[in-house]
Amino acid sequence: MLRATLKSLLARKLRLVLSGLAVLLGVMFVSGAFVLTDTLNRTFDSIFADAYAATDVSVTAKPKVEVSEFEGEQVAAPLPAAAVEKIKTQAGVRAAVGRVDTDGARVIGSDGKVLTSMGPPRIGSNWTGTDDVMELREGRGPEAPGEIAMNATTAELSGYRIGDTVPVLTQKPKREFTLVGIWGYTGDRDSIGGTQEVAFTTPVAQELMLGEKGVFTSVTVTAADGVSPAELRDSLAPALGAGYVVKTGDDLAKESSESIKEGLGFFNQILLGFAGIALFVGIFLILNTFSIVVAQRTRELALLRAIGASRRQVINSVLVEAVVVGLIASVLGLAAGVGAGAGLGYLFSSMGGGGLDLAPVGVPPAAIISSFLVGLIVTVVAAVMPALRASRIAPVAAMQDVATPDRPLTKISVFGGVVTAAGAAALGVGLFADAGDADLWLILGGVLVTFIGVALLTPLISKPVVSLLGRLFSWSLPGRLGRLNSGRNPRRTAITAAALMVGIALVTGVTVVMDSAKSSLKAEAARILKAQIMISGDQNGPRPPTFDPAVVSEADHIPGVRAAAGLYNDLVQIGSSQEYVAATENLSRLAESYGSTAPDLRDDQIAVSAPEAADQGWQTGSQVTIQASRGDSHTYTIALVFPENTLPGNIILPGAAIQDFGITQPVFGFVRLDDGVAVSSVLPQIKTLVADSPEVSATDQETFINGQAAQFDQIITMIQILLGLAILIAVLGVVNTLALSVLERTRELGLLRAVGLGRAQTMRMVTVEAVVISVFGALLGVAVGAGMGGAVARALENDGITEIVIPWERMGTYLALAALVGVVAAVAPAIRAARLNILGAIAHD
């Protein structure tokens, strides 16, 4: 029986390739995700090991606000110079050097634009000389206040050479320096991890990067001979007290790497989620393939039963075929996944500026295990139902010239109706009843269950809908034949269309939610924001773009300006929780730019939104203690509880608090004009004011709002790309179904050709069948996706989505693309059908 199965398998290589391709693509996504994260994990292990290779022990002050790598930017608490002197006197210390290393030194390149970074920080530091891993390549270190050195990566990106004048943005407005040195690292590296670095003299670094002189961010301590870094750490920690954090270089490398890996783990889960969707779609393809194969092998399997094969042997025959397909697809998918992981790693490093030296690509055990588990399980599960169907073939079928008849749709239709009704009920309760905190879960659960129910009802829906769609092509004989062929087997058509439906539904659903969020944001911003001119920039690194605070005061004096205000942000500690807060130097001017009114805040007062006050149990006069990124904690009195969305943010601090923020420059600026003043008369003047802050630009309100909303389009594009694999597998499903159907209908096609159907007509017939199936799947997808997306958007009403937008244009595009997909998918099967030898086809058994 095994030999017969293998011979049957080898005799039908086409179906082996087509059924295995879906598994291969899904496995590629799974293994590629593990290969990518493993490569990046080892890359960052190497980066941080190199970064701290010359550090025996590092001493820092305990941060005012603890921030993880992916929650925000950790602001180091300043260390006084006295701490450096104290450390130098401790036993086991050979040397102690105060360091300034802070993100925020942004070099303006020779083209006048700020050097961007898609991940690595832009460090401003004090020059302390070279060490075991750092080497001076050109020039010397900075010695005068107007001199800087930079690493080779920054020099290459900026285009500067020794002796050039370099503009640099820091915590202070733009200043110009003379480039006197360029350094690199051992191993011919221009940077560590693509980081851009600029080194100043120590006093200048303290002033520009920390905002005060005589302080450092850390102290690098070198152990005396015979003292290990761990021993020095253990002796320094108690001597310095609880206000300091003492760690070895190995400790810092491990902690930094683990923090990055936490974020990469989340990224890996996202990739695996999309891989799961792709494999789910692949199940439809494999199920259809084996169903068609079983139908084609009716006589063969019946003959096996007639000569003594048991039902179990027939089941095993189909499952063995599935296992072989799964094994081959898993091996090839794993190999493709290694290549995909390497390619994505290269793309990741390129996005970071090209300075990220990737570790050699490896294949972790998780990639191998998951590849074979996923490949085998998916293939075998998809083959179970066709295998059971094959075992029920009666031996008498060997003497009949018929395939297995299509089973009634009653059971699956009833079951699908029950599931759909249950999902709709949960959805209705979540949308229209008050279930408290369970509303969102009821809606999401209802969406999922309804989606499954619709998939189960697809065979019932397919016959009338496919018949209706087919009428569009029934003006010719090939069109009528294609229409009849697409509706002759509702189950097969439904499974093929359902695979495409899943991908299109998910893309449509995400588009509905994102477009609804974008439209709600634009409408809300236009409603509450009265400022006609905005100052802002696009954040492309860990630090938001900022500008000179003087711009705001100068803009306020321009004729025709009614009010100008700057907005500052920081992550602060309030009790046991962390929150982002805003601050402004003039609350009344900020309120006026928002079309509301508010009194100015004293240095000990704050303003709080009504929802925040309700959540926290605060009211006017309440005392709130806030710890900003720097300085001491302060206790403020709530002077104003303002209505929601009448001012930016939920907690607004006075201007006096800005000096303790991690970033002491405004990140947004708002300019409101007097009534009747044209934006075009003032905007050029504002643009002139921000000329020295090239990270930001001044724009009118519409441009600003559209720029903020454009982030949703980026999310949609990313989702479309990631779901593209699932849609590709669905397209393969259409190709597979048509190819196997052509084989199944060989005699029928021969007879049609014999009675006068031409080759071109045969190709049009197959193409019509493909287009109808594809459009049917896309039509289901956009309908289900629009419903799912609308329900989710409705569930997020309390989170700011106030409008539900149905993207009719994109949905129409999806349907048009589905028709194109049908045409493309039909090419190979149509050519094969047209090339059939008429006599051979008629004699085909």
Side-chain angles (χ1 to χ4, degrees), residues 322-681:
V323 169
V324 171
V325 171
L327 280 173
I328 295 174
S330 297
V331 172
L332 296 177
L334 175 59
V338 173
L344 289 172
Y346 175 77
L347 181 63
F348 187 93
S349 66
S350 299
M351 290 174 61
L356 187 65
D357 295 323
L358 285 177
V361 175
V363 184
I368 299 173
I369 295 171
S370 62
S371 294
F372 285 98
L373 282 179
V374 167
L376 287 173
I377 290 174
V378 167
T379 313
V380 171
V381 167
V384 166
M385 290 180 62
L388 292 175
R389 197 177 310 150
S391 69
R392 298 190 185 104
I393 295 175
V396 71
M399 296 175 287
Q400 299 176 348
D401 190 23
V402 294
T404 53
D406 202 28
R407 292 171 296 155
L409 302 175
T410 306
K411 291 183 180 179
I412 192 171
S413 298
V414 171
F415 184 57
V418 171
V419 173
T420 303
L427 198 56
V429 172
L431 289 173
F432 305 110
D434 186 7
D437 294 337
D439 277 348
L440 181 59
W441 291 109
L442 280 170
I443 291 171
L444 294 177
V447 165
L448 178 61
V449 173
T450 304
F451 183 76
I452 295 172
V454 171
L456 292 171
L457 288 174
T458 304
L460 181 66
I461 301 171
S462 68
K463 197 161 189 176
V465 176
V466 165
S467 177
L468 183 63
L469 288 173
R471 291 185 182 278
L472 298 174
F473 306 95
S474 295
W475 49 269
S476 66
L477 176 63
R480 289 195 296 274
L481 290 173
R483 171 196 169 204
L484 293 172
N485 287 336
S486 60
R488 70 197 294 180
N489 193 322
R491 285 179 183 272
R492 183 180 301 176
T493 299
I495 293 173
T496 305
L500 191 58
M501 178 194 76
V502 172
I504 298 293
L506 291 173
V507 171
T508 303
V510 170
T511 303
V512 169
V513 174
M514 292 295 105
D515 279 357
S516 299
K518 181 170 69 173
S519 178
S520 301
L521 171 66
K522 294 171 71 172
E524 188 69 9
R527 183 182 69 81
I528 66 176
L529 188 59
K530 303 305 178 184
Q532 293 94 340
I533 298 175
M534 318 296 165
I535 302 172
S536 66
D538 295 328
Q539 185 169 349
N540 51 29
R543 178 190 171 94
T546 60
F547 57 94
D548 187 348
V551 169
V552 175
S553 59
E554 292 177 17
D556 214 16
H557 290 90
I558 294 176
V561 171
R562 178 174 177 178
L567 192 69
Y568 303 73
N569 289 329
D570 195 28
L571 182 65
V572 303
Q573 191 81 30
I574 303 177
S576 59
S577 63
Q578 296 176 346
E579 287 199 46
Y580 277 99
V581 299
T584 185
E585 294 169 327
N586 193 318
L587 182 60
S588 62
R589 307 294 276 173
L590 179 65
E592 195 163 5
S593 70
Y594 260 73
S596 61
T597 58
D600 286 332
L601 298 172
R602 297 200 312 261
D603 290 352
D604 62 345
Q605 294 179 331
I606 61 173
V608 179
S609 70
E612 181 73 16
D615 290 343
Q616 301 287 353
W618 296 337
Q619 57 188 356
T620 304
S622 296
Q623 302 287 305
V624 180
T625 300
I626 298 177
Q627 173 63 65
S629 295
R630 294 192 175 99
D632 298 325
S633 62
H634 295 276
T635 299
Y636 298 94
T637 300
I638 297 178
L640 173 68
V641 176
F642 56 87
E644 186 178 14
N645 292 330
T646 56
L647 287 171
N650 289 319
I651 301 175
I652 302 177
L653 275 60
I658 296 170
Q659 63 182 350
D660 291 335
F661 279 16
I663 298 174
T664 57
Q665 291 182 313
V667 295
F668 290 105
F670 305 96
V671 180
R672 186 179 181 186
L673 307 181
D674 291 326
D675 295 340
V677 175
V679 173
S680 59
S681 66

Side-chain angles (χ1 to χ4, degrees), residues 25 54 69 132 152 195 210 228 278 312 324 363 367 463 510 514 540 556 566 607 653 689 756 804 832:
L25 291 173
E69 185 73 27
D132 292 342
T195 300
L210 302 180
S228 70
R312 176 176 292 181
V324 171
V363 184
K463 197 161 189 176
V510 170
M514 292 295 105
N540 51 29
D556 214 16
L653 275 60
L689 293 178
I804 297 178
R832 182 182 180 89

Side-chain angles (χ1 to χ4, degrees), residues 59-147:
V59 179
T60 57
K62 190 173 182 181
K64 301 292 184 179
V65 180
E66 293 278 358
V67 182
S68 73
E69 185 73 27
F70 288 87
E71 288 177 332
E73 189 176 13
Q74 179 71 69
V75 178
L79 267 170
V84 182
E85 299 305 318
K86 180 179 179 180
I87 292 171
K88 288 180 179 179
T89 64
Q90 300 300 310
V93 174
R94 185 173 73 186
V97 179
R99 295 284 308 172
V100 176
D101 292 293
T102 301
D103 189 9
R106 292 143 293 155
V107 173
I108 300 173
S110 55
D111 59 357
K113 298 179 180 179
V114 174
L115 303 186
T116 59
S117 171
M118 298 304 293
R122 293 170 286 188
I123 299 294
S125 63
N126 63 322
W127 179 262
T128 58
T130 58
D131 54 34
D132 292 342
V133 296
M134 181 179 172
E135 54 190 22
L136 195 61
R137 292 186 180 171
E138 295 182 55
R140 57 176 174 80
E143 298 171 354
E147 297 176 343

Side-chain angles (χ1 to χ4, degrees), residues 201-240:
T201 61
T202 295
V204 172
Q206 292 169 335
E207 176 192 359
L208 298 185
M209 303 308 302
L210 302 180
E212 57 180 313
K213 295 185 178 180
V215 294
F216 300 93
T217 56
S218 65
V219 180
T220 299
V221 186
T222 304
D225 294 339
V227 179
S228 70
E231 291 172 338
L232 182 57
R233 174 199 60 194
D234 295 341
S235 65
L236 277 179
L240 295 177

Side-chain angles (χ1 to χ4, degrees), residues 598-770:
D600 286 332
L601 298 172
R602 297 200 312 261
D603 290 352
D604 62 345
Q605 294 179 331
I606 61 173
V608 179
S609 70
E612 181 73 16
D615 290 343
Q616 301 287 353
W618 296 337
Q619 57 188 356
T620 304
S622 296
Q623 302 287 305
V624 180
T625 300
I626 298 177
Q627 173 63 65
S629 295
R630 294 192 175 99
D632 298 325
S633 62
H634 295 276
T635 299
Y636 298 94
T637 300
I638 297 178
L640 173 68
V641 176
F642 56 87
E644 186 178 14
N645 292 330
T646 56
L647 287 171
N650 289 319
I651 301 175
I652 302 177
L653 275 60
I658 296 170
Q659 63 182 350
D660 291 335
F661 279 16
I663 298 174
T664 57
Q665 291 182 313
V667 295
F668 290 105
F670 305 96
V671 180
R672 186 179 181 186
L673 307 181
D674 291 326
D675 295 340
V677 175
V679 173
S680 59
S681 66
V682 178
L683 184 56
Q685 300 178 66
I686 304 295
K687 288 184 176 181
T688 301
L689 293 178
V690 298
D692 284 341
S693 301
E695 276 192 308
V696 301
S697 59
T699 60
D700 58 52
Q701 185 192 79
E702 183 180 1
T703 303
F704 171 77
I705 293 174
N706 289 337
Q708 298 297 307
Q711 299 173 20
F712 295 105
D713 291 327
Q714 295 174 3
I715 295 174
I716 293 173
T717 301
M718 182 184 70
I719 297 293
Q720 288 174 331
I721 292 172
L722 290 173
L723 286 175
L725 179 62
I727 296 175
L728 173 61
I729 292 175
V731 173
L732 291 174
V734 178
V735 176
N736 198 14
T737 299
L738 290 175
L740 293 176
S741 294
V742 166
L743 291 174
E744 184 181 48
R745 301 200 302 262
T746 298
R747 179 179 291 182
E748 176 186 318
L749 290 169
L751 290 171
L752 286 172
R753 291 292 312 284
V755 297
L757 192 68
R759 286 188 173 183
Q761 290 177 310
T762 302
M763 294 178 68
R764 288 204 300 272
M765 176 186 70
V766 175
T767 301
V768 166
E769 183 178 353

Side-chain angles (χ1 to χ4, degrees), residues 133-198:
V133 296
M134 181 179 172
E135 54 190 22
L136 195 61
R137 292 186 180 171
E138 295 182 55
R140 57 176 174 80
E143 298 171 354
E147 297 176 343
I148 61 169
M150 61 177 61
N151 68 0
T153 288
T154 310
E156 181 180 357
L157 292 174
S158 64
Y160 289 123
R161 298 170 180 259
I162 299 295
D164 288 346
T165 299
V166 181
V168 183
L169 299 174
T170 59
Q171 291 277 20
K172 303 292 183 180
K174 182 183 78 172
R175 283 179 55 174
E176 293 184 342
F177 299 86
T178 300
L179 180 62
V180 298
I182 297 175
W183 80 85
Y185 294 90
T186 55
D188 198 31
R189 293 170 297 169
D190 292 341
S191 67
I192 294 181
T195 300
Q196 299 174 25
E197 296 177 85
V198 177

